[in-house]
Amino acid sequence: EKNMTGKICGTGSWAPDRVWDNNDLAKMVETSDQWIRERTGVVQRHIAKEDEDTVTMAAGAALKALEDAEMKAEEIDLILVATISPTEIMPCVACGVQERLGAEKATCFDLNGACTGSLLALNTAQAYLAQGIYRNALVIGAEKLSGLTDWTDRGTCILFGDGAGAVVLRAEEGGSYAQVTHSIGKKGGALTLQSRNQIRYENDPKAKETYIQMNGKEVFSFAVSKVPEAVKELLSREQVSCEDISYYLLHQANERIIRSAARRLGEDISKFPMNMDRYGNTSSASLLILLDEMKKSGKLQRGDRMVLAGFGGGLTAVGLVRLLRVRRLSRDPEKAADYDASLKDERTAYVANKARSMAFFISIYVQLAAGLLAILVFDRPLVGQVLCGLTCLQGLLYTVFYWHYDKVY
């Protein structure tokens, strides 16, 4: 039975044009740019206009991901949208995206996992693709949190923003996908949001509890302890060391949380890319927006191992690890075949050069032994010095040769 894995072949993101910086918020609540930066790392956030709903943002990110994947909307057979901020209870956001894209063959549904939503959606899509139920999936994280934020509450309004990120997954043979998920329902009261669609709120539509309520200290404590634990558990299970990880993409909630996680993992902060300074916390959209920016900037290289980890309402903590083959898949069979052939050629060259390296390694040691014998046994110092000198030069060339092919392949 074939082992199928959903491989990312396209990414996209979308954010509203309207931007509020910290100075704008200082006009609404008692705060300052410096106060917000020091405690969160946020400098600005995108705020959707009235006519820009969750479907608008999700569809915008999806279109860019499809374009990046060189895939038509008709080829998508599963659309998953992670969101806590749908404009309508029904139809779901995913169905709205389907309508705008024209992805008529796709099965569509939403998933509410709060800030870990996009990772849980990726897990869900991977399960469907691994079973062969679907072949091409579109996973989106989209949030219009500005409509759920109390802009008079300094503890929460400084954090959140609007936006969407998307990835296209194609089922292919081979590859690996590992994940760890944890939920602690008894701590759910640390981050809450009551639905306004209740009889008790008919006469009180602006009730505080119908906006995001957060116990910042408890969420911070949960994040800085559980996220590193989940990452360590995942890497231990997959027998991957921290040194083998190129990047850790963590939910973009707070810079202090990410720096604390880096210290607990014993990793340099340069491995933890961040963009919350420009977007704020976009909940389920944050990781997919960051992934798209990493890909578009060219920072991801083929063969990179990358960890995605999130935490959020529930409370939940999720970690994923992927071995990347960064490339653009093509719908053109000839292009795809050319790429597969190039991979085979690279592997053949790698094996052949490894064999040559071993032969070269043996020959220089034989040469070194001959040089030493010429000096110590046969009293031919000039011959011995020449042989030893050549050995040193060849050893240097070997080192450069080996480093080059190890780097390339």
Side-chain angles (χ1 to χ4, degrees):
E1 191 171 326
K2 295 179 180 179
N3 174 35
M4 305 298 287
T5 304
K7 295 187 178 179
I8 297 174
C9 57
T11 65
S13 59
W14 194 94
D17 293 331
R18 183 166 61 176
V19 173
W20 288 358
D21 63 20
N22 293 340
N23 292 319
D24 291 319
L25 265 60
K27 299 173 184 177
M28 304 178 187
V29 294
E30 186 179 348
T31 189
S32 68
D33 176 55
Q34 182 181 356
W35 192 89
I36 298 172
R37 286 182 189 236
E38 290 177 352
R39 287 160 178 78
T40 68
V42 178
V43 177
Q44 65 177 43
R45 69 284 297 147
H46 294 261
I47 303 296
K49 299 175 183 176
E50 289 187 8
D51 61 345
E52 294 172 331
D53 60 10
T54 310
V55 172
T56 299
M57 293 185 284
L63 283 169
K64 292 182 179 180
L66 287 171
E67 181 182 357
D68 188 46
E70 296 183 355
M71 188 179 293
K72 295 179 180 178
E74 304 88 76
E75 296 177 74
I76 297 296
D77 41 29
L78 175 65
I79 299 176
L80 299 181
V81 175
T83 186
I84 63 167
S85 55
T87 306
E88 301 173 326
I89 295 176
M90 60 180 179
C92 65
V93 175
C95 283
V97 172
Q98 181 204 45
E99 179 185 8
R100 297 201 185 189
L101 298 183
E104 297 179 357
K105 298 178 182 178
T107 297
C108 309
F109 62 92
D110 291 355
L111 186 153
N112 181 345
C115 298
T116 57
S118 59
L119 299 185
L120 294 171
L122 283 170
N123 287 350
T124 303
Q126 288 287 352
Y128 279 115
L129 297 178
Q131 292 298 315
I133 299 173
Y134 303 113
R135 178 160 182 80
N136 299 317
L138 179 58
V139 175
I140 307 167
E143 301 289 7
K144 187 175 180 178
L145 299 180
S146 57
L148 303 176
T149 300
D150 180 356
W151 294 101
T152 66
D153 177 11
R154 185 179 71 163
T156 57
C157 74
I158 63 174
L159 299 172
F160 300 107
D162 301 332
V167 296
V168 175
L169 299 176
R170 187 197 297 273
E172 293 187 2
E173 291 185 43
S176 63
Y177 181 87
Q179 54 87 20
V180 163
T181 60
H182 293 291
S183 299
I184 307 176
K186 64 183 180 181
K187 291 182 177 289
L191 189 55
T192 63
L193 175 62
Q194 288 287 323
S195 171
R196 294 170 190 164
N197 297 291
Q198 300 181 59
I199 294 176
R200 57 177 165 159
Y201 295 127
E202 285 184 353
N203 298 320
D204 190 14
K206 298 292 185 180
K208 288 282 187 181
E209 58 268 33
T210 64
Y211 294 94
I212 298 171
Q213 303 293 304
M214 182 175 68
N215 182 328
K217 290 183 178 179
E218 190 166 351
V219 172
F220 185 92
S221 176
F222 172 82
V224 299
S225 61
K226 291 301 180 183
V227 170
E229 286 178 16
V231 172
K232 289 178 180 178
E233 177 186 349
L234 182 62
L235 297 183
S236 175
R237 194 180 69 191
E238 296 302 307
Q239 298 183 336
V240 176
S241 68
C242 288
E243 291 75 19
D244 294 328
I245 300 300
S246 302
Y247 293 106
Y248 297 85
L249 273 63
L250 271 56
H251 168 49
Q252 302 292 291
N254 187 302
E255 183 178 346
R256 291 194 301 158
I257 290 176
I258 294 177
R259 289 187 177 277
S260 178
R263 287 194 296 271
R264 294 194 179 207
L265 289 169
E267 289 284 68
D268 191 270
I269 193 63
S270 62
K271 284 189 172 185
F272 294 76
M274 290 182 267
N275 67 359
M276 87 278 292
D277 59 321
R278 290 175 287 114
Y279 292 93
N281 179 349
T282 55
S283 189
S284 64
S286 78
L287 279 172
L288 298 186
I289 293 174
L290 180 60
L291 179 63
D292 180 52
E293 289 193 338
M294 290 286 290
K295 182 176 183 293
K296 296 298 194 300
S297 68
K299 292 181 179 179
L300 302 180
Q301 302 297 320
R302 191 183 66 217
D304 281 349
R305 279 192 172 97
M306 181 174 62
V307 168
L308 282 73
F311 55 91
L315 296 172
T316 58
V318 180
L320 316 176
V321 63
R322 292 299 302 267
L323 174 62
L324 297 181
R325 178 178 290 175
V326 180
R327 61 187 173 102
R328 172 176 287 188
L329 287 176
S330 176
R331 294 182 289 107
D332 186 338
E334 292 184 4
K335 290 183 180 180
D338 288 344
Y339 180 81
D340 291 338
S342 70
L343 283 182
K344 185 176 180 180
D345 291 342
E346 287 181 5
R347 183 60 185 170
T348 300
Y350 173 79
V351 172
N353 284 307
K354 281 286 188 180
R356 281 195 288 267
S357 295
M358 288 301 297
F360 190 60
F361 181 76
I362 294 170
S363 69
I364 63 173
Y365 271 91
V366 170
Q367 188 171 278
L368 178 61
L372 293 174
L373 284 173
I375 295 172
L376 301 175
V377 178
F378 298 106
D379 195 25
R380 306 292 288 271
L382 182 59
V383 174
Q385 290 171 4
V386 170
L387 288 173
C388 289
L390 286 172
T391 299
C392 292
L393 179 60
Q394 289 170 330
L396 179 61
L397 291 173
Y398 167 79
T399 301
V400 174
F401 174 88
Y402 182 86
W403 174 86
H404 170 72
Y405 279 95
D406 186 62
K407 187 76 172 177
V408 172
Y409 296 107

